[in-house]
């Protein structure tokens, strides 16, 4: 069974702190990794789609790296703000089909205190 | 980012009743997905749909579930006879193409089966 794991499960930081969390996945049959930001009562918001080993993507204060050989991706938030509080989900595109099925991790819930 | 809408936002139903969840399409998005998240668990894939046909379905997607896109209008998920364990947040997602393309999620329908 394909399993995607995220750590930590939750994180509490002070405003201005930088933080990072991990997504681990099986490295075989890798196609793509998606990162989403999900605030309660809103749609999960797409952050990044990463496909290449060594890929690094950035969106404002948020960036992500990808290591497909060892099967992990890191998400970094520089200078956390209260509005960054959300659950961050990673999802692996299942490698055995082209139908776009995403396998999700359990998410990391970030709480940024003012 | 394309806006994805779902209706209703919340639904409460009695066990054994039929429910229909709706997702409003974007004209140039060809691939549709349903996912769900049972409280406290991971977001899990239910079904993908392309060109008016199911592309892939998970083992959760049994005979009680069906999807259709009648007349190119709303993309619907029907649960024929709801069970208590069907209580979950149901997300619709769409994308222009499969694989590496971003999947855009709706805000979800919270289904509660009593």
């Amino acid at each position: 069974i394909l399993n995607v794991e995220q750590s930590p499960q939750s994180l509490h930081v002070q405003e201005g702190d930088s933080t990072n969390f991990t997504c681990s996945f099986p490295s075989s049959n890798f196609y793509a990794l998606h990162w989403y930001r999900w605030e309660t009562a809103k749609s999960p918001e797409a952050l990044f789609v990463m496909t290449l080993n060594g890929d690094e993507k950035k969106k404002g204060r948020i960036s992500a790296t990808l290591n497909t050989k060892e099967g992990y991706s890191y998400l970094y938030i520089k200078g956390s703000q209260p509005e960054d509080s959300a659950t961050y989900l990673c999802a692996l595109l299942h490698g055995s089909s082209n139908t776009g099925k995403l396998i999700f991790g359990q998410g990391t819930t970030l709480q940024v205190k003012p | 980012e394309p806006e994805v809408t779902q209706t209703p936002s919340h639904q409460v139903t009695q066990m054994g009743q039929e429910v229909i969840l709706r997702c409003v399409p974007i004209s140039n998005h060809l691939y549709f997905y349903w996912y769900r998240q049972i409280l406290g668990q991971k977001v899990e894939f239910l079904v993908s749909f392309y060109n008016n046909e199911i592309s892939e379905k998970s083992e959760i997607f049994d005979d009680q579930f069906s999807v259709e896109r009648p007349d190119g209008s709303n993309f619907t998920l029907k649960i024929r006879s709801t069970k208590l364990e069907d209580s979950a947040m149901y997300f619709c997602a769409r994308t222009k193409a499969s694989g590496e393309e971003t999947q855009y999620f709706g805000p979800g329908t919270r289904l509660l089966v009593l």
Side-chain angles (χ1 to χ4, degrees):
Chain A
I1 296 176
L2 203 62
N3 198 29
V4 177
E5 294 293 333
Q6 291 185 248
S7 64
Q9 187 174 341
S10 64
L11 200 52
H12 296 256
V13 301
Q14 288 295 133
E15 182 176 354
D17 288 350
S18 293
T19 186
N20 66 85
F21 17 95
T22 307
C23 175
S24 303
F25 52 85
S27 56
S28 59
N29 293 321
F30 177 85
Y31 272 63
L33 189 84
H34 295 232
W35 278 101
Y36 288 89
R37 178 178 178 278
W38 183 25
E39 286 183 73
T40 304
K42 294 186 179 179
S43 304
E45 173 196 353
L47 291 175
F48 307 113
V49 179
M50 308 181 78
T51 56
L52 300 176
N53 185 44
D55 216 1
E56 184 169 340
K57 295 205 172 180
K58 191 174 179 182
K59 189 176 182 178
R61 293 179 291 99
I62 304 176
S63 61
T65 60
L66 178 67
N67 184 322
T68 60
K69 293 189 188 316
E70 295 182 34
Y72 64 83
S73 176
Y74 293 141
L75 190 80
Y76 300 90
I77 302 177
K78 185 179 177 182
S80 303
Q81 300 296 309
E83 57 265 30
D84 295 329
S85 298
T87 295
Y88 292 83
L89 298 168
C90 73
L92 186 71
L93 181 69
H94 190 243
S96 63
S97 73
N98 290 321
T99 57
K101 169 178 152 182
L102 292 177
I103 309 295
F104 281 84
Q106 68 270 51
T108 293
T109 299
L110 174 68
Q111 185 70 39
V112 182
K113 297 177 185 175
Chain B
E1 184 172 307
E3 185 178 324
V4 178
T5 57
Q6 290 184 239
T7 58
S9 58
H10 295 79
Q11 182 150 1
V12 180
T13 190
Q14 294 292 322
M15 191 169 58
Q17 295 296 303
E18 175 183 284
V19 295
I20 298 176
L21 312 181
R22 292 182 173 82
C23 177
V24 179
I26 295 174
S27 59
N28 63 344
H29 282 206
L30 303 177
Y31 291 81
F32 300 86
Y33 310 85
W34 284 101
Y35 295 84
R36 77 174 184 188
Q37 186 191 36
I38 295 170
L39 193 62
Q41 297 185 22
K42 294 180 180 180
V43 175
E44 52 190 355
F45 169 81
L46 292 177
V47 65
S48 58
F49 190 84
Y50 169 68
N51 202 25
N52 291 322
E53 287 185 350
I54 290 175
S55 300
E56 185 175 356
K57 57 184 180 179
S58 70
E59 49 192 42
I60 303 166
F61 196 88
D62 61 21
D63 291 343
Q64 293 298 316
F65 291 88
S66 63
V67 288
E68 62 177 2
R69 194 181 173 200
D71 304 319
S73 59
N74 293 349
F75 177 51
T76 63
L77 174 70
K78 183 191 290 186
I79 309 175
R80 290 192 183 83
S81 179
T82 50
K83 307 185 193 79
L84 296 177
E85 55 265 35
D86 293 328
S87 296
M89 178 74 89
Y90 287 81
F91 292 102
C92 165
R94 292 92 58 86
T95 188
K96 286 185 282 188
S98 68
E100 301 162 13
E101 292 289 327
T102 298
Q103 290 189 21
Y104 296 98
F105 279 74
T109 293
R110 170 75 67 190
L111 177 65
L112 179 60
V113 182
L114 302 176

